Amino acid sequence: MKVIIINGPNLNLLGKREPEIYGSLSFDDYYKSLQEKHPHIHLEYFQSNHEGELLDKIHEIGFSFDGIILNAGAYTHTSIALGDAIAAINTPVLEVHISNVHNRESFRHHSYLSAPSKGVIIGLGLKGYDLAIQFFKDSNHTK
Ligand code: CA2
């Protein structure tokens, strides 16, 4: 079973800035704990600050992986292109947000990614990524 976590812009700063919103753990450290917790799945991690690179990665693995866990950062709220990419691939996508975007600024309340995604996990901190992996492990999902 192949699952990839794709993180978008600024998520490389996790653990370094704004710990009151995003926590104090770096994603690299959290990813190590996910690998230890889920040793029997093929887990990959990709982060980019560039919309085109996120699109290329989704196209590259979107017909061969069993699940994509996508936190597209602020592109969530702006990118019709990412929404179109999710709709175009076969691999189911779970949209994850660390913070509860609905109790933040109104521009974070809309997502171009939610409708074409299989589901959404919001506001549960880094735990959301773990729950998304668990979902893919547990389900015989269809898109
Ligand atoms: O809550 C989330 O996971 C977000 O996707 C994070 C994005 C934000 O634009 C979305 O509205 C919600 C921002 C990621 C920025 O991450 C940082 C982490 C540490 C320090 C500064 C930024």
Side-chain angles (χ1 to χ4, degrees), residues 39-93:
H40 300 302
I41 64 167
H42 174 100
L43 189 61
E44 290 188 21
Y45 170 51
F46 177 79
Q47 190 275 332
S48 176
N49 293 319
H50 304 277
E51 187 176 8
E53 289 184 2
L54 296 170
L55 287 166
D56 288 345
K57 181 56 77 174
I58 289 169
H59 296 167
E60 180 194 323
I61 52 86
F63 298 89
S64 56
F65 273 54
D66 301 293
I68 296 174
I69 298 164
L70 177 61
N71 184 347
Y75 289 141
T76 303
H77 318 299
T78 62
S79 180
I80 296 169
L82 282 171
D84 285 347
I86 294 168
I89 60 172
N90 290 338
T91 300
V93 173

Side-chain angles (χ1 to χ4, degrees), residues 24-36:
S24 51
L25 196 60
S26 75
F27 198 83
D28 284 346
D29 285 343
Y30 182 66
Y31 180 64
K32 279 180 203 145
S33 75
L34 287 177
Q35 287 176 306
E36 284 164 14

